[in-house]
Short mmCIF file of all heavy atoms in Angstrom, two decimals:
data_model
loop_
_atom_site.label_atom_id
_atom_site.label_comp_id
_atom_site.label_asym_id
_atom_site.label_seq_id
_atom_site.Cartn_x
_atom_site.Cartn_y
_atom_site.Cartn_z
N ARG N 191 -1.87 -8.86 -0.14
CA ARG N 191 -0.55 -9.21 -0.61
C ARG N 191 -0.57 -10.43 -1.47
O ARG N 191 -1.41 -11.31 -1.41
CB ARG N 191 0.39 -9.42 0.57
CG ARG N 191 0.04 -10.63 1.40
CD ARG N 191 0.75 -10.63 2.77
NE ARG N 191 2.24 -10.80 2.62
CZ ARG N 191 3.08 -10.50 3.59
NH1 ARG N 191 2.68 -10.02 4.74
NH2 ARG N 191 4.39 -10.77 3.34
N ASP N 192 0.45 -10.48 -2.39
CA ASP N 192 0.64 -11.65 -3.25
C ASP N 192 2.09 -12.12 -2.91
O ASP N 192 3.03 -11.45 -3.25
CB ASP N 192 0.55 -11.26 -4.68
CG ASP N 192 0.66 -12.44 -5.64
OD1 ASP N 192 1.40 -13.35 -5.39
OD2 ASP N 192 -0.05 -12.39 -6.69
N ASN N 193 2.16 -13.27 -2.26
CA ASN N 193 3.40 -13.79 -1.88
C ASN N 193 4.32 -14.41 -2.96
O ASN N 193 5.47 -14.63 -2.81
CB ASN N 193 3.28 -14.88 -0.79
CG ASN N 193 2.70 -14.27 0.50
OD1 ASN N 193 3.00 -13.11 0.85
ND2 ASN N 193 1.94 -15.06 1.25
N VAL N 194 3.69 -14.58 -4.13
CA VAL N 194 4.44 -15.08 -5.30
C VAL N 194 5.15 -13.93 -5.98
O VAL N 194 6.28 -14.01 -6.39
CB VAL N 194 3.54 -15.81 -6.27
CG1 VAL N 194 4.29 -16.24 -7.58
CG2 VAL N 194 2.93 -17.07 -5.65
N LYS N 195 4.37 -12.84 -6.17
CA LYS N 195 4.92 -11.63 -6.81
C LYS N 195 5.62 -10.66 -5.86
O LYS N 195 6.14 -9.66 -6.31
CB LYS N 195 3.79 -10.91 -7.55
CG LYS N 195 3.13 -11.70 -8.66
CD LYS N 195 2.10 -10.91 -9.35
CE LYS N 195 1.50 -11.65 -10.53
NZ LYS N 195 0.46 -10.88 -11.25
N ASN N 196 5.61 -10.98 -4.57
CA ASN N 196 6.20 -10.06 -3.59
C ASN N 196 5.62 -8.64 -3.73
O ASN N 196 6.39 -7.69 -3.78
CB ASN N 196 7.71 -10.05 -3.69
CG ASN N 196 8.34 -11.42 -3.45
OD1 ASN N 196 8.00 -12.10 -2.45
ND2 ASN N 196 9.19 -11.83 -4.32
N THR N 197 4.29 -8.57 -3.77
CA THR N 197 3.63 -7.34 -4.02
C THR N 197 2.51 -7.08 -3.00
O THR N 197 1.76 -8.05 -2.67
CB THR N 197 3.08 -7.31 -5.45
OG1 THR N 197 4.14 -7.43 -6.37
CG2 THR N 197 2.37 -5.95 -5.73
N VAL N 198 2.34 -5.85 -2.57
CA VAL N 198 1.30 -5.45 -1.69
C VAL N 198 0.36 -4.50 -2.50
O VAL N 198 0.85 -3.72 -3.23
CB VAL N 198 1.76 -4.84 -0.38
CG1 VAL N 198 2.61 -3.57 -0.65
CG2 VAL N 198 0.62 -4.49 0.51
N TYR N 199 -0.90 -4.67 -2.27
CA TYR N 199 -1.92 -3.90 -3.02
C TYR N 199 -2.79 -3.07 -2.06
O TYR N 199 -3.00 -3.42 -0.96
CB TYR N 199 -2.83 -4.80 -3.84
CG TYR N 199 -2.13 -5.68 -4.82
CD1 TYR N 199 -1.79 -7.03 -4.47
CD2 TYR N 199 -1.76 -5.26 -6.11
CE1 TYR N 199 -1.13 -7.86 -5.37
CE2 TYR N 199 -1.13 -6.10 -6.98
CZ TYR N 199 -0.80 -7.43 -6.59
OH TYR N 199 -0.16 -8.20 -7.52
N LEU N 200 -3.30 -2.02 -2.64
CA LEU N 200 -4.32 -1.22 -1.94
C LEU N 200 -5.45 -0.99 -2.96
O LEU N 200 -5.34 -0.16 -3.92
CB LEU N 200 -3.79 0.10 -1.44
CG LEU N 200 -4.77 0.94 -0.62
CD1 LEU N 200 -5.11 0.30 0.66
CD2 LEU N 200 -4.27 2.36 -0.37
N GLN N 201 -6.58 -1.69 -2.73
CA GLN N 201 -7.72 -1.50 -3.57
C GLN N 201 -8.58 -0.40 -2.94
O GLN N 201 -8.97 -0.49 -1.81
CB GLN N 201 -8.60 -2.79 -3.62
CG GLN N 201 -9.88 -2.69 -4.43
CD GLN N 201 -9.59 -2.50 -5.89
OE1 GLN N 201 -8.76 -3.17 -6.49
NE2 GLN N 201 -10.32 -1.52 -6.48
N MET N 202 -8.81 0.61 -3.74
CA MET N 202 -9.58 1.83 -3.28
C MET N 202 -10.89 1.92 -4.05
O MET N 202 -10.84 2.10 -5.26
CB MET N 202 -8.71 3.06 -3.47
CG MET N 202 -7.35 2.95 -2.77
SD MET N 202 -6.42 4.50 -2.82
CE MET N 202 -6.10 4.57 -4.61
N ASN N 203 -12.01 1.84 -3.36
CA ASN N 203 -13.31 1.96 -3.95
C ASN N 203 -14.07 3.15 -3.40
O ASN N 203 -13.70 3.68 -2.33
CB ASN N 203 -14.11 0.72 -3.68
CG ASN N 203 -13.50 -0.54 -4.30
OD1 ASN N 203 -12.91 -0.52 -5.38
ND2 ASN N 203 -13.66 -1.66 -3.62
N SER N 204 -15.09 3.57 -4.05
CA SER N 204 -15.89 4.71 -3.65
C SER N 204 -15.00 5.93 -3.28
O SER N 204 -15.21 6.54 -2.19
CB SER N 204 -16.78 4.33 -2.45
OG SER N 204 -17.62 3.24 -2.78
N LEU N 205 -14.10 6.23 -4.14
CA LEU N 205 -13.19 7.31 -3.84
C LEU N 205 -13.82 8.68 -3.72
O LEU N 205 -14.81 9.00 -4.43
CB LEU N 205 -12.12 7.36 -4.96
CG LEU N 205 -10.99 6.23 -4.86
CD1 LEU N 205 -10.34 6.10 -6.21
CD2 LEU N 205 -10.05 6.59 -3.76
N LYS N 206 -13.24 9.45 -2.83
CA LYS N 206 -13.72 10.79 -2.54
C LYS N 206 -12.62 11.81 -2.84
O LYS N 206 -11.47 11.52 -2.85
CB LYS N 206 -14.18 10.97 -1.07
CG LYS N 206 -15.11 9.91 -0.58
CD LYS N 206 -15.32 9.99 0.95
CE LYS N 206 -16.30 8.93 1.46
NZ LYS N 206 -16.47 9.07 2.88
N ALA N 207 -13.02 13.07 -2.99
CA ALA N 207 -12.02 14.13 -3.21
C ALA N 207 -11.04 14.20 -2.06
O ALA N 207 -9.86 14.53 -2.29
CB ALA N 207 -12.73 15.46 -3.42
N GLU N 208 -11.50 13.88 -0.92
CA GLU N 208 -10.61 13.93 0.28
C GLU N 208 -9.49 12.86 0.25
O GLU N 208 -8.54 12.95 1.00
CB GLU N 208 -11.51 13.69 1.58
CG GLU N 208 -10.80 13.93 2.85
CD GLU N 208 -11.72 13.85 4.05
OE1 GLU N 208 -12.87 14.33 3.89
OE2 GLU N 208 -11.33 13.33 5.07
N ASP N 209 -9.65 11.85 -0.63
CA ASP N 209 -8.64 10.84 -0.76
C ASP N 209 -7.44 11.26 -1.61
O ASP N 209 -6.47 10.56 -1.73
CB ASP N 209 -9.23 9.56 -1.39
CG ASP N 209 -10.25 8.93 -0.50
OD1 ASP N 209 -10.04 8.83 0.75
OD2 ASP N 209 -11.30 8.46 -1.03
N THR N 210 -7.55 12.43 -2.21
CA THR N 210 -6.46 12.94 -2.99
C THR N 210 -5.21 13.15 -2.13
O THR N 210 -5.23 13.81 -1.12
CB THR N 210 -6.81 14.32 -3.66
OG1 THR N 210 -7.91 14.07 -4.57
CG2 THR N 210 -5.63 14.92 -4.40
N ALA N 211 -4.11 12.51 -2.59
CA ALA N 211 -2.86 12.55 -1.82
C ALA N 211 -1.76 11.78 -2.57
O ALA N 211 -2.07 11.13 -3.61
CB ALA N 211 -3.04 11.92 -0.44
N VAL N 212 -0.54 11.91 -2.08
CA VAL N 212 0.49 11.04 -2.52
C VAL N 212 0.46 9.81 -1.61
O VAL N 212 0.54 9.91 -0.36
CB VAL N 212 1.88 11.69 -2.45
CG1 VAL N 212 2.98 10.71 -2.89
CG2 VAL N 212 1.87 12.89 -3.39
N TYR N 213 0.43 8.63 -2.21
CA TYR N 213 0.36 7.39 -1.42
C TYR N 213 1.71 6.72 -1.42
O TYR N 213 2.36 6.57 -2.45
CB TYR N 213 -0.70 6.44 -2.04
CG TYR N 213 -2.12 6.87 -1.65
CD1 TYR N 213 -2.65 8.00 -2.29
CD2 TYR N 213 -2.90 6.19 -0.75
CE1 TYR N 213 -3.90 8.42 -1.96
CE2 TYR N 213 -4.13 6.56 -0.43
CZ TYR N 213 -4.69 7.72 -1.01
OH TYR N 213 -5.98 8.12 -0.70
N TYR N 214 2.14 6.27 -0.22
CA TYR N 214 3.44 5.64 -0.01
C TYR N 214 3.35 4.26 0.46
O TYR N 214 2.54 3.98 1.45
CB TYR N 214 4.25 6.44 0.94
CG TYR N 214 4.60 7.86 0.51
CD1 TYR N 214 3.72 8.92 0.86
CD2 TYR N 214 5.77 8.16 -0.21
CE1 TYR N 214 4.04 10.22 0.47
CE2 TYR N 214 5.99 9.48 -0.58
CZ TYR N 214 5.17 10.47 -0.21
OH TYR N 214 5.46 11.80 -0.58
N CYS N 215 4.11 3.35 -0.08
CA CYS N 215 4.20 1.98 0.40
C CYS N 215 5.29 1.96 1.46
O CYS N 215 6.34 2.63 1.37
CB CYS N 215 4.54 1.08 -0.72
SG CYS N 215 4.69 -0.66 -0.31
N ASN N 216 5.04 1.16 2.52
CA ASN N 216 5.99 1.09 3.62
C ASN N 216 6.06 -0.40 4.08
O ASN N 216 5.10 -1.10 4.19
CB ASN N 216 5.54 1.94 4.77
CG ASN N 216 6.23 1.63 6.07
OD1 ASN N 216 5.74 0.91 6.92
ND2 ASN N 216 7.42 2.20 6.28
N THR N 217 7.28 -0.76 4.47
CA THR N 217 7.52 -2.08 5.08
C THR N 217 8.45 -1.96 6.21
O THR N 217 9.36 -1.14 6.16
CB THR N 217 7.98 -3.11 4.05
OG1 THR N 217 8.11 -4.38 4.68
CG2 THR N 217 9.38 -2.75 3.50
N LYS N 218 8.25 -2.71 7.29
CA LYS N 218 9.07 -2.66 8.46
C LYS N 218 9.54 -4.01 8.86
O LYS N 218 8.77 -4.92 9.09
CB LYS N 218 8.24 -2.07 9.64
CG LYS N 218 9.06 -1.92 10.92
CD LYS N 218 8.20 -1.28 12.06
CE LYS N 218 8.95 -1.12 13.29
NZ LYS N 218 8.18 -0.46 14.31
N THR N 219 10.85 -4.18 8.95
CA THR N 219 11.47 -5.40 9.51
C THR N 219 12.34 -4.94 10.69
O THR N 219 11.82 -4.46 11.67
CB THR N 219 12.29 -6.11 8.39
OG1 THR N 219 13.27 -5.18 7.83
CG2 THR N 219 11.36 -6.58 7.32
N ARG N 220 13.62 -5.03 10.54
CA ARG N 220 14.52 -4.43 11.50
C ARG N 220 14.68 -2.97 11.20
O ARG N 220 15.09 -2.23 12.08
CB ARG N 220 15.90 -5.11 11.49
CG ARG N 220 15.81 -6.61 11.91
CD ARG N 220 17.13 -7.31 11.69
NE ARG N 220 18.20 -6.74 12.53
CZ ARG N 220 19.45 -7.15 12.50
NH1 ARG N 220 19.79 -8.12 11.65
NH2 ARG N 220 20.37 -6.57 13.25
N ASN N 221 14.30 -2.55 10.00
CA ASN N 221 14.39 -1.21 9.59
C ASN N 221 13.11 -0.80 8.85
O ASN N 221 12.32 -1.68 8.43
CB ASN N 221 15.57 -0.94 8.65
CG ASN N 221 16.89 -1.24 9.32
OD1 ASN N 221 17.29 -0.54 10.22
ND2 ASN N 221 17.58 -2.27 8.85
N ASP N 222 12.88 0.50 8.69
CA ASP N 222 11.79 0.99 7.91
C ASP N 222 12.22 1.31 6.49
O ASP N 222 13.29 1.88 6.26
CB ASP N 222 11.16 2.25 8.49
CG ASP N 222 10.10 2.03 9.46
OD1 ASP N 222 9.22 1.17 9.16
OD2 ASP N 222 10.04 2.70 10.56
#
C-alpha cells in the first residue's frame, strides 16, 4: 500500500495461465 496515494497494489510475478481471471480490489471497514 501507498498511504500518500491511498492506493493498494498487487505485484504479480512468474504468472501462469491459471492466474487468468478478473481481479477485484476489496476493502473492509464497517462495510465491504
Side-chain angles (χ1 to χ4, degrees):
R191 65 194 293 164
D192 185 327
N193 293 328
V194 175
K195 296 182 177 181
N196 298 312
T197 300
V198 60
Y199 303 96
L200 183 67
Q201 178 66 47
M202 305 184 293
N203 299 324
S204 301
L205 283 163
K206 307 173 181 179
E208 189 173 321
D209 295 318
T210 295
V212 176
Y213 284 72
Y214 298 90
C215 181
N216 166 263
T217 184
K218 181 178 180 180
T219 54
R220 296 171 64 181
N221 299 294
D222 269 316

